[in-house]
Amino acid sequence: MNHFEYRGGILHAEDVAIPDIAASVGTPFYCYSTATLVRHARVFIDAFKGQKARLCYSIKANSNLAVVATLAREGAGADVVSEGELRRALAVGIPAGKIVFSGVGKTGAEIAFALETGIDQFNVESEPELDLISELASARGLEARIAIRVNPDVDAKTHEKIATGKAENKFGISWKRAPEVYARAAALKGIRIVGIDVHIGSQLTDLAPFEAAFRRVADMVATLRAQGRDITRIDLGGGLGIPYRGDNDVPPHPDEYAAMVKRAVGHLDCELTFEPGRLIVGNAGILVSRVIYEKTGDNRNFLIVDAAMNDLIRPTLYDAFHEIRAVAEPAEAARVTYDVVGPVCETGDFLAKGRELPELKSGDLIAIMSAGAYGAVQASTYNTRPLVPEVLVNGATFAVVRARPSYDEILKQDMIPAWLQTDKTPSR
Ligand code: LLP
């Protein structure tokens, strides 16, 4: 459920009319709903009532400080994959004790920073990483709490670019080798084994692959305990899918997911960590754009809008479907099949293809739904298009939580070296 609805024929985010935001900040812009963020966090937390579980929001899905702060207020911790994300979590007051650090390529500098801030857990993805953590922790007289991310070799049945749990994926350490790597870890200075970690992919709409992976992890916990390892925590990653096609799309509810978790690992009496990203923010955000032109091709109608692949790359990168709505709800308008495309000079620049929509014209606003996760965070300035601003709605108010940069600010990021400067080079 989300808080984007038509009221009086106009799409609203909570109590704010989308055209009012457009008039104030211009288009395109991302718009997030506080009530939806909070609701999603609570539904997830409630699903695990009675289990020892914590939510470490996966910051990569949407790292705007205002979004992370909203979730921090709900008690969420954070799953981070870079020093930048770690700094974001700390900046909004998430205690280091609620932060887990995942990722296959943590650098020495990042590990050192994380150790010094006292994060709760490193999810280790390779033996060289384990050695480096040991070296950096012991040099500081510290002990790093670690979980080893195992690769369970399970097909997540999601888009191949976001599946992470097969043996051929770069993630984790083969579950077959895990006991041996744990034995090594146990002998290393500066390392304290606390648990085991798994994450098999994103936008999973079937519980079976989760269950297969979690059962494999449960068996592994038994094996490791038999070998004397003190496994008290299991990090089950993120990945639960969300509906992208409105009511036609019914992925498992967090309650069903939680029941499956209990079946798979409940008997182990471990503390559970979850790293949902998309589930929390995906349907809490939309991308609002304005139609620039309607253009009729030989066999296509193109709706050329002011948002593009650089603002939301998911359709072209993952063949993702995002529902598109007219911001002014059409009465009985004629319907037209459009390719909704942006201004970027690439054939891959589309937001939807062959989509039947009410007839739209230049100046009309559209909303690209379910864009709160992996939208703004994956945006670029390709074609020197300014990054899209982000707006957070809270009831009847809204705030710009990231401003659109000016062209001056964008150009100032580049520098012209001395040998290219002439008396005609404008001083900046
Ligand atoms: N934990 C780990 C270790 C992850 O790698 C990820 C996502 C998550 C948690 C959060 O997964 P979620 O709950 O959001 O599914 N850009 C892609 C998705 C990439 C997901 C990367 N890892 C997209 O737009 O679909």
Side-chain angles (χ1 to χ4, degrees), residues 100-103 106 121-125 129 147 197 235 275:
V100 300
F101 193 174
S102 307
K106 305 176 190 77
Q121 179 174 310
F122 289 86
N123 289 336
V124 177
E125 302 218 19
E129 180 193 335
D197 170 45
D235 182 334
E275 305 169 353

Side-chain angles (χ1 to χ4, degrees), residues 1-5 7 12-14 33-44 241-244 246-247 249-254 278-286 325 369-370:
M1 201 200 115
N2 62 59
H3 293 260
F4 298 100
E5 298 167 344
R7 291 197 194 161
H12 280 61
E14 304 185 25
S33 150
T34 300
T36 313
L37 289 169
V38 167
R39 183 186 147 81
H40 289 172
R42 291 187 184 165
V43 165
F44 193 85
I242 63 165
Y244 277 98
D247 296 339
D249 211 359
V250 200
H253 188 275
R278 189 191 311 266
L279 187 78
I280 308 295
V281 293
N283 279 316
I286 62 174
R325 292 195 198 162
M369 307 303 291
S370 311

Side-chain angles (χ1 to χ4, degrees), residues 59-386:
I59 286 192
K60 64 173 80 68
N62 186 321
S63 57
N64 188 289
L65 290 182
V67 169
V68 184
T70 302
L71 298 170
R73 276 209 191 177
E74 291 299 305
D79 160 49
V80 302
V81 291
S82 67
E83 180 171 336
E85 287 188 353
L86 174 51
R87 286 180 183 269
R88 283 181 184 270
L90 296 169
V92 300
I94 296 185
K98 287 186 178 179
I99 300 177
V100 300
F101 193 174
S102 307
V104 292
K106 305 176 190 77
T107 66
E110 289 180 314
I111 293 168
F113 180 75
L115 283 167
E116 280 155 18
T117 58
I119 64 152
D120 192 46
Q121 179 174 310
F122 289 86
N123 289 336
V124 177
E125 302 218 19
S126 68
E127 288 164 88
E129 180 193 335
L130 187 61
D131 292 338
L132 187 55
I133 296 175
S134 158
E135 185 188 318
L136 295 171
S138 47
R140 287 167 176 73
L142 298 171
E143 213 173 37
R145 286 169 293 277
I146 67 117
I148 288 182
R149 175 168 174 183
V150 291
N151 181 321
D153 196 18
V154 167
D155 181 355
K157 300 204 168 63
T158 183
H159 191 277
E160 58 161 351
K161 288 196 179 117
I162 52 174
T164 56
K166 287 287 287 174
E168 60 264 32
N169 301 136
K170 68 179 175 179
F171 299 96
I173 292 177
S174 163
W175 65 280
K176 295 180 196 150
R177 296 203 45 241
E180 166 194 337
V181 179
Y182 270 96
R184 251 194 86 201
L188 286 174
K189 277 191 289 189
I191 295 285
R192 181 148 65 87
I193 296 167
V194 291
I196 186 164
D197 170 45
V198 71
H199 171 81
I200 60 170
S202 194
Q203 187 52 19
L204 272 70
T205 51
D206 179 359
L207 291 180
F210 277 126
E211 186 156 1
F214 296 174
R215 287 193 184 278
R216 189 151 270 178
V217 166
D219 292 348
M220 185 58 60
V221 171
T223 306
L224 294 170
R225 282 179 171 169
Q227 293 174 354
R229 312 288 160 240
D230 191 16
I231 307 289
T232 56
R233 298 181 182 179
I234 310 180
D235 182 334
L236 293 172
L240 187 55
I242 63 165
Y244 277 98
R245 294 168 191 260
D247 296 339
N248 302 330
D249 211 359
V250 200
H253 188 275
D255 288 346
E256 297 168 65
Y257 173 79
M260 175 277 293
V261 166
K262 195 169 186 183
R263 281 200 302 277
V265 304
H267 57 289
L268 296 166
D269 192 34
C270 280
E271 290 166 30
L272 305 178
T273 297
F274 295 92
E275 305 169 353
R278 189 191 311 266
L279 187 78
I280 308 295
V281 293
N283 279 316
I286 62 174
L287 172 60
V288 178
S289 177
R290 198 179 285 282
V291 177
I292 310 175
Y293 304 115
E294 225 192 325
K295 168 163 134 175
T296 311
D298 283 346
N299 51 17
R300 281 274 192 290
N301 299 304
F302 296 103
L303 199 63
I304 305 173
V305 303
D306 64 3
M309 65 185 284
N310 70 297
D311 307 312
L312 180 67
I313 204 169
R314 303 195 67 260
T316 194
L317 190 57
Y318 313 110
D319 312 302
F321 179 98
H322 285 264
E323 192 190 334
I324 295 185
R325 292 195 198 162
V327 167
E329 193 175 29
E332 285 299 301
R335 294 185 77 80
V336 179
T337 300
Y338 289 114
D339 280 5
V340 182
V341 301
V344 164
C345 300
E346 300 242 5
T347 302
D349 177 26
F350 61 88
L351 297 168
K353 280 194 165 166
R355 189 72 60 83
E356 200 189 285
L357 294 174
E359 186 163 21
L360 288 156
K361 54 181 194 323
S362 174
D364 286 347
L365 291 171
I366 61 166
I368 298 128
M369 307 303 291
S370 311
Y374 307 108
V377 284
Q378 296 199 112
S380 79
T381 56
Y382 186 38
N383 282 199
T384 307
R385 291 167 48 82

